[in-house]
Amino acid sequence: MVVSPLSLIIPITTKSSGMQPPNLDAAWLTRGPRESNAILKYLADRYDTEKKLTVTDEKEKADLDTWLFYQASHQGPTFGNCQWFMFYHPERIPSAILRFQNEIKRIFGVLNDVLSKKEWLVGNKCTIADLAFIKYNDYAIHHLLPTNFNVEREFPHLAAWHAKLMARPAVQYAINHMLELDVGRERQHVNGVTHSEFARTATGIARRGIAAQAAKDEILVNV
């Protein structure tokens, strides 16, 4: 998947995937789903015709939706608030940071408990429910929790699940692609590169990403 100039996720395909490239018209690009899990469901429903990343059993479909809602309502806001108070809030508030770090551990505990009994969240296979948790979990492990926190020791089942997800070739491709494309504020506290410095030295796909961001801003201004 790649991000269009309107910051919508567009699926890309490879020969090994066996999936046909989507025919996305202008209406989809301007009015398609915006929320991440809504995008995941839309793409899976429309293009995953073999149900490789979804399920068909009615109970399992409900379980899949439950995890997507859990990710959006628990993981997203909690991890995002922790990031805000750690890196962007104008004053340091240790109690706020500690609160959200503890909430991250609580959410890790929920996932760890479920994954102690099965390999994947739904349907005995990797689905979009599992994929939805990857980015924030990886970010929390590396940047939000204390340096002495050991996820393998504290939450071994979650750690094993996350490692399997991270090892998937498509996940590695997406992460490497977004690292090249990243022109957001996350870059500064992760590797010390400011937005202006990155923009000044960017080449290739990163340069195109900056152009796409500028195009999106212009579109929003003219709406």
Side-chain angles (χ1 to χ4, degrees):
M1 297 179 183
V2 296
V3 180
S4 78
L6 294 174
S7 287
L8 302 179
I9 297 178
I10 301 175
I12 60 176
T13 59
T14 62
K15 290 181 179 179
S16 61
S17 72
M19 295 173 63
Q20 294 299 314
N23 180 21
L24 300 176
D25 57 23
W28 192 92
L29 291 176
T30 56
R31 297 192 297 274
R34 261 55 170 197
E35 294 295 331
S36 57
N37 289 341
I39 294 170
L40 280 177
K41 286 205 67 175
Y42 176 89
L43 295 176
D45 290 345
R46 186 167 181 179
Y47 301 109
D48 184 16
T49 57
E50 297 180 11
K51 305 300 181 184
K52 292 181 179 180
L53 295 174
T54 56
V55 290
T56 56
D57 177 80
E58 291 301 317
K59 183 182 182 304
E60 290 180 344
K61 287 165 68 174
D63 289 343
L64 187 145
D65 283 345
T66 297
W67 283 114
L68 291 178
F69 276 97
Y70 185 80
Q71 188 279 327
S73 63
H74 288 255
Q75 189 203 43
T78 297
F79 291 36
N81 275 306
C82 190
Q83 181 191 41
W84 171 262
F85 282 105
M86 286 184 69
F87 300 111
Y88 307 119
H89 195 67
E91 60 180 303
R92 189 78 170 172
I93 307 179
S95 60
I97 294 172
L98 181 61
R99 164 177 163 71
F100 288 112
Q101 286 181 331
N102 285 337
E103 281 296 289
I104 288 173
K105 293 176 184 177
R106 181 186 66 79
I107 291 168
F108 276 6
V110 170
L111 291 166
N112 190 72
D113 182 61
V114 170
L115 293 164
S116 69
K117 304 174 181 68
K118 54 186 179 180
E119 185 177 7
W120 305 102
L121 293 178
V122 182
N124 298 315
K125 66 178 182 179
C126 178
T127 68
I128 59 174
D130 303 280
L131 299 176
F133 283 90
I134 292 175
K135 185 62 171 72
Y136 256 136
N137 279 350
D138 195 62
Y139 185 79
I141 290 168
H142 291 98
H143 303 294
L144 299 182
L145 294 172
T147 54
N148 62 352
F149 176 79
N150 187 312
V151 68
E152 289 85 4
R153 180 181 65 243
E154 301 294 333
F155 303 107
H157 306 291
L158 174 136
W161 168 68
H162 182 67
K164 283 183 292 186
L165 288 168
M166 290 293 291
R168 294 173 71 90
V171 171
Q172 282 297 307
Y173 175 88
I175 288 175
N176 290 335
H177 176 80
M178 292 311 297
L179 286 175
E180 293 177 357
L181 195 60
D182 177 26
V183 294
R185 63 186 184 184
E186 180 180 308
R187 177 175 295 276
Q188 184 169 352
H189 71 260
V190 170
N191 60 19
V193 177
T194 64
H195 178 86
S196 58
E197 181 182 355
F198 179 73
R200 185 172 61 254
T201 59
T203 59
I205 194 169
R207 172 59 61 187
R208 295 197 297 275
I210 294 170
Q213 179 66 37
K216 183 194 77 170
D217 292 343
E218 182 177 352
I219 289 170
L220 292 177
V221 168
N222 293 329
V223 169

